[in-house]
Each structure stands twice: as C-alpha cells, then as structure tokens.
Amino acid sequence: MAGFAAAIVALLAAAGLLAALYLAHKRNCSLPQAIALLKLRSLFRLQLPDRSAPAERPVIHVYARQSGLDVAVLWSFLDRRCLHLLHEKDQRSLFLFGLRLIGETAYAGDIAAIEAALAAGQSVSVPCPPEIEPQPQTLRGYGTLAALARKHGAGLRALHVRGSRFSQWSVHPRSKAPRHLLPRMRLGQSDLLGFDDTSPADNGATDPRDEDRVHDLMALARFRSNNLERGLFLAFRDACDIYGKAGPVLEDALGGKLTYKRTLIGARALGAKLEAMSQPGEALGILLPNANAVIVTFLALQSAGRVAAMLNYTAGPAALVSALSTARIRTVLSSRAFVDKAGLEAPVAAIENAGVKIVWLEELRESISVLEKANAFVNWRRPLRPVRASDPAVILFTSGSEGTPKGVVLSHTNIHANAAQAEARIDISVADRLFNVLPVFHCFGLTGGAILPLFYGVRLFLYPSPLHYRNLPAVAREVRPSIMFGTDTFLAGYARTAKDTDFESLRLIVAGAEAVRAETRRIYRERFNATVIEGFGMTETAPVAAVNSSSHNKDGTVGRLLPAMSLRLEPVEGINDAGRLYVSGPNIMLGYMLASEPGKLQPLSSGWHDSGDIVAVDEDGYIAIRGRAKRFAKIAGEMVSLGAIELMVQQLWPEDFHAAVAVKDRRKGERIVLVTTRMPALRDELREFSRRFGATELMVPGEIINVSEIPLLGSGKTDYVTAQKIADEWISSHRTDNSKA
C-alpha cells in the first residue's frame, strides 16, 4: 500500500514537473518561475494579463505593495533577469526565502542597485506604499523613479495584484481588509510609459509632471486588475465572496438590514418571478425610492437577464409616460406603500392609462412559494440567465435640464468599469459607511451611491429623499457615515439646519451635478471637519468622468480624468481658452434611445461622446468647466458663459441661489436674465462687484428676477427649462419696459 502511495506521489510530481517545463517553454521563463506560477495559480487562482512583447529597453516596474505575495507574483510573471527590490519585511520573510535564494534581489530604496541594473540592461521591480491617494513623499518617489528611467533610457510600467490585500500577509489592518486563507488574485498592468517625447532636454533631469504620470499608471494598473468581463449579478457575488462575512452591508431608513447573501437570495427569488413575466433582454421599469427593495429588485433583473429602466418619479406624469414609450417598457415594478406615502397617484394613473402594467412588489413577494424560496437559497450564487458583459444592463434617462430627456443605455461593463475607475482614485474600504441620499434613478445615485460601495465592501445606508433638509442631518448623526455624496444645493441646505455634531463622522463628501461653491466647502471644512471634493460626469459616462482626490485636488476644477479614459477638445467659435469636450473609455454608454424611434438603440459611431460641455484643461490635467455649449449666450457677437455668470454672482451673494438664462434681444442678439433668491438683488451692486471680479460688462445681467426658490430637478440640478420659462414669462409681462432697454 505504501508503495502504491509513493507511486502516486511520484506520478503527480512528474506530471507537475512536465507542466512546469511546458509552462517555462511557453512563457520563456525559468523552471523555478514556472513552478512558482503553477503554485500561485493552483492556490490563489491567479489570473495574469497577456505578457507584453519583450521590450527593447529595460523597464522599471512599480507596484503598490499590498502584501508579501505581491513580489512572488511579480517574480513569476516578469523577465527572469529582472532585479526585484524587496521591502524590509519581504527581506526577512520565510515565505520568500526561495525567491531570495534563486532570484536577483536588492533592498528597497537601493538607488545604486537600480542604476547598476538599468545600466546593464536589466529591468527592475520596485515596491511602493499601498495607498490609493499617495502622500507627498510617495509622489516624490514616483518622480525619482521616472528620472532614473529617463536617465538610463528605460520605460516605466505599473502593476497591481488585486486580492493580495486580503491574504494573511496583508499590509492593511483587518478593519480595512478582511482576511482570507486563499484569496483569488488577479494581476493588472498599465501601458508602458516612455520618456522620449516628454523628457526635459537634459538627460536624467526631473519633470514636475512625472509624479502625476506615474500616479496615473498606478491607477490604471489598479483599474485593469478588475475583472470587467462579468455581469453585474456575478460581480456582486464576487463582492460577497470577499466581504460577505462582515455582517450587514445594506441598510435603509425603514430599519431593514441585509447581508450580501440575503440580498442575493432575495434577488434570485424575485428574479425567477420577473423572468416568467418578461422576455430576455426586455426593459422593465423600476419606480422605487432609495431603500433596500430597490437594490434587490435591480439585482433580480440582472439575474434574470433583463434591463433595469430607472424611472424618475419626480419628473411628473408626462415625462414618465414619455420615458416608458422611449424605452418600450411594458411593465413597471413599484410598491403600493411607496406610492401612497409619496403621493404618486397621478403618475401611476398616467402609467396605467398608457397601457403599461404595474406590478406591485408587495403582492409579488407574497406569491413566492416555499419551494421557490428554497430554490433561491440553494442556488443563490448563480444568476438565472447568463449575460455578456457587453449586454445592456440599465436604461437611465437624462435629467432634461435643457430639453427633452433621452434614454441612456449602459452595459454591465460600463457600470462596473466606472465603479472600478472611481475605486482606483478614491480611497475607500470596509471601514467606511456611505450615506446615499441621491436617488438611484440618477446615475450618480446608482453607480456612485449604490454599486460602487457594494462592489468594494463599503457599508451602504440608503435614505429615500435628498429634500428632507430638516430630518436628514439627524439621521446622519445616528448612522455616522464617513462618506456622503451630494450636490451643492443639497449640501448647502443640510448645513443650514444641521447641528455641529450631525456630520462630525464625515471625512469625505463627493459632490457633483453642479458647481460647488467656495462657501459650501468652507462650511463643511470648518463646522464638520469634512473635505468636499468635486467631480464631473454625465449619465452617458455612467456617470463619473473626472474627480478630485485628497492627493490631487485643485479648487475651481472638477479634477483629472479617470483611468482608461481619453479626452479631446474641439474648438468653439468665439471661445479662445477652452474647447468642446469629447470623451472615450470603457464607461461610455452603448448609445441613446430617442422618443422619435422608441426602443431602438442609437449606438455611438466612433466611440467618442460629445459631452456638450465647454472646458479648459491645464498642464496638470485638471479640468475646469466653462459651461454647457447650450449655456453660452451670444451677445454682440461675443460668447458669454452663463455658468461663469452664476459663479460670479455666487461669490457676491454666497448664501443665495442663482440661475442665469439668456433671452432674445433685438439689438444685441441675446441678453442675460438672472433668476435669484437674493432679496433685494441690486444690479448696481452686481455691476460694481463685476469690475472687481474682472468680468466684462457683457457678463452683467440685464434683468434680475427674484424668486423664493430656484427650481430643481429630482437629481438636485437646477431646472433650467423652468428657469427659462420664468424668465420668458417675466420678460413678456414687462415687454414695454424691455423694448426701451
């Protein structure tokens, strides 16, 4: 018997050796590297990117050291002659004894060893601190490595080992990275950065932009370490595998708490019902508030291979019916309790009168049998229907702030990619709790406020309405979030009613959808010790396109472009210091659905999306929004930004709210009308301030209209359609005076 066992062991060893020899030949690596790679694949299910063609010059490989496993992965993947600089702990690790014995290693920080290797034509791997948002000294280290690459004619590439942070050798505290015995790992790598076209004239000289270039490579490698070839249901299940033991991850104002597993069981059970009443790929409407039920319903549709059409219940009956027609929606999922509490009887009647069926979730839940529940419990890890990551997953409708809303069709990859792009730039962990008040029918509320936190282990609290200015701060005091998303309008409203202790748990607020006023930043910094960072996006980019961060933040801008995205600026007549922004990347929508051709996807023809925004980009890559192309007025032949006028007025009257619109003028073509809550708002005071502000006379509004509130959309954006109607009606009623102007 012992002889038989020995024979089996010898046979397995021989098979392993043959596999290693084949792998060594296939990957052109050494036998020890191949053996290490086989072990890593077997134990940690390691996935590697395609190996790049051998570089004609040495390469400095930089990576954020998440654990002691990282260098083992890189040693098995990189060129056999690569010199690996080892962190102090890796120099002493028994686990890495074989690497130190066989491979070429040196101490981290040994610049002389790096220079000697590069001079000899060897590549080098260099560990860096693990933070997503690097400290200044880390950024300076990036610049040093770039200068060494330039001096020796080397390239520079970033790598990232996703999953190693959850291993027993993790450098992160357990409070931020739950431990697993054998976590799944995946290696991501950036493009190769050369310095031929970006270098200063002197060989080896530093370039102040090098720090940002290397930082961007690190973010790109981190982004690429995600597996985006998964449907959203499976991506949520992957998050469950990593973070599922941490307890409830989803909570709402009704007191409900759900773990990852309970959420998936509920989605699987509900999905079976939805599958029976619809066709594969069909869009079903979701008319629900921010509550646990909307997440379960969303995932149920993803499990069933259906498309979730997120309906804006604040838009009014006509807009809802238009959205249903545009996306050819035959069924809407809603809740009787929600409709009764929110007073949505009129929109519901309009939906039913349009011939669309409303399915009440309370009744559907009651119809799920014990056998169906048991089936969901057993098969909770598997979606009901396989999907491709490129398939449509969501239809969202543009806010209609400047015209008729359109249906924006986003794929599984679009949404997953945008969450991954944000995670590569913003430091979040299981130690965080996100307080989401933004409605999930808005893309910022869906991707940023729901999918992003759940995919990366951040506990999520859903609040049903951002308009509860008095109640919401008190809820935040009980929930104690560390992160919140919002718009400037909402944040200013909360600050007016909040006590100083209500938001004391916050460390970070990400604001978007409209420009953030300096006054809002100041209030949250001084009263609550929270940092407000501004981002920029649109529904068509799922939605985030650029964002500031703690390490890269410039007031007056919306930050730098997210990893894996590209931009170009097209010239605009009459504007010299900015251009019309076009963007491309994995988060760009599949296309539009238009009311003129219901149900038909209008795909992007070139992969580039015209944002309709006029922006300026500085030498460091920070994007400053000049305004919407449609929100420029042409006065006496000169283009004037309505957004810039609003910023000017906000500096003069920071505690009030303002909207600038343009009306026709017989002499100058157009003129500016300011709709404002300021009372009184004196034009002479504004004209005097404009001179100190450095504005031209054309930027001073010709008329000022006082209102009690600036009209808002459900997303928190200014409703410029309504603001324009207010201005037009006011001008019409004062036509006699206007004709004399």
Side-chain angles (χ1 to χ4, degrees), residues 269-338:
L270 180 60
K273 291 291 186 180
L274 301 179
E275 183 182 39
M277 66 176 65
S278 58
Q279 299 298 315
E282 181 180 341
L284 282 75
I286 294 181
L287 191 74
L288 292 170
N290 279 19
N292 293 348
V294 76
I295 303 299
V296 174
T297 304
F298 179 86
L299 287 172
L301 290 173
Q302 305 309 321
S303 174
R306 274 50 174 176
V307 179
M310 313 304 292
L311 300 177
N312 181 354
Y313 47 81
T314 70
L320 271 175
V321 171
S322 174
L324 297 174
S325 172
T326 296
R328 284 194 173 173
I329 296 169
R330 300 184 297 122
T331 305
V332 169
L333 310 172
S334 191
S335 159
R336 289 190 186 276
F338 167 58

Side-chain angles (χ1 to χ4, degrees), residues 39-53:
K39 289 181 179 179
L40 290 168
R41 281 180 170 175
S42 300
L43 294 174
F44 299 99
R45 294 159 290 174
L46 173 65
Q47 293 179 287
L48 299 175
D50 293 334
R51 200 168 187 181
S52 304

Side-chain angles (χ1 to χ4, degrees), residues 459-511:
R459 291 169 295 167
L460 174 62
F461 186 94
L462 292 169
Y463 191 79
S465 173
L467 299 176
H468 296 169
Y469 293 114
R470 294 189 178 278
N471 297 336
L472 193 146
V475 176
R477 184 173 65 247
E478 297 298 321
V479 174
R480 297 194 61 78
S482 57
I483 304 174
M484 187 166 76
F485 290 167
T487 68
D488 181 81
T489 301
F490 291 153
L491 294 174
Y494 307 149
R496 282 199 298 269
T497 61
K499 299 176 182 177
D500 290 346
T501 57
D502 288 347
F503 293 123
E504 65 179 0
S505 62
L506 286 174
R507 68 174 179 88
L508 180 67
I509 300 170
V510 183

Side-chain angles (χ1 to χ4, degrees), residues 34 115 140 425 644 675 708 710:
E115 294 222 53
R140 288 194 293 270
R425 278 282 171 81
V675 181
S708 58
I710 294 294

Side-chain angles (χ1 to χ4, degrees), residues 571-587:
V572 177
E573 182 184 358
I575 301 175
N576 298 321
D577 62 344
R580 190 176 183 118
L581 176 67
Y582 287 75
V583 289
S584 68
N587 54 318

Side-chain angles (χ1 to χ4, degrees), residues 58 163 224 268 291 307 310 371 413 510 517 555 573:
R224 287 181 174 172
R268 170 82 190 205
V307 179
M310 313 304 292
L371 184 61
T413 294
V510 183
R517 299 176 299 165
D555 284 351
E573 182 184 358

Side-chain angles (χ1 to χ4, degrees), residues 593-644:
M593 283 186 180
L594 305 176
S596 57
E597 297 185 74
K600 182 179 179 181
L601 177 66
Q602 311 284 341
L604 289 179
S605 58
S606 63
W608 287 88
H609 170 63
D610 176 7
S611 71
D613 290 291
I614 308 301
V615 310
V617 183
D618 69 15
E619 62 179 6
D620 296 318
Y622 289 91
I623 300 172
I625 307 296
R626 295 285 187 260
R628 295 285 295 168
K630 293 180 180 178
R631 300 207 65 241
F632 275 76
K634 195 167 187 178
I635 304 175
E638 186 171 334
M639 300 296 285
V640 178
S641 169
L642 300 176

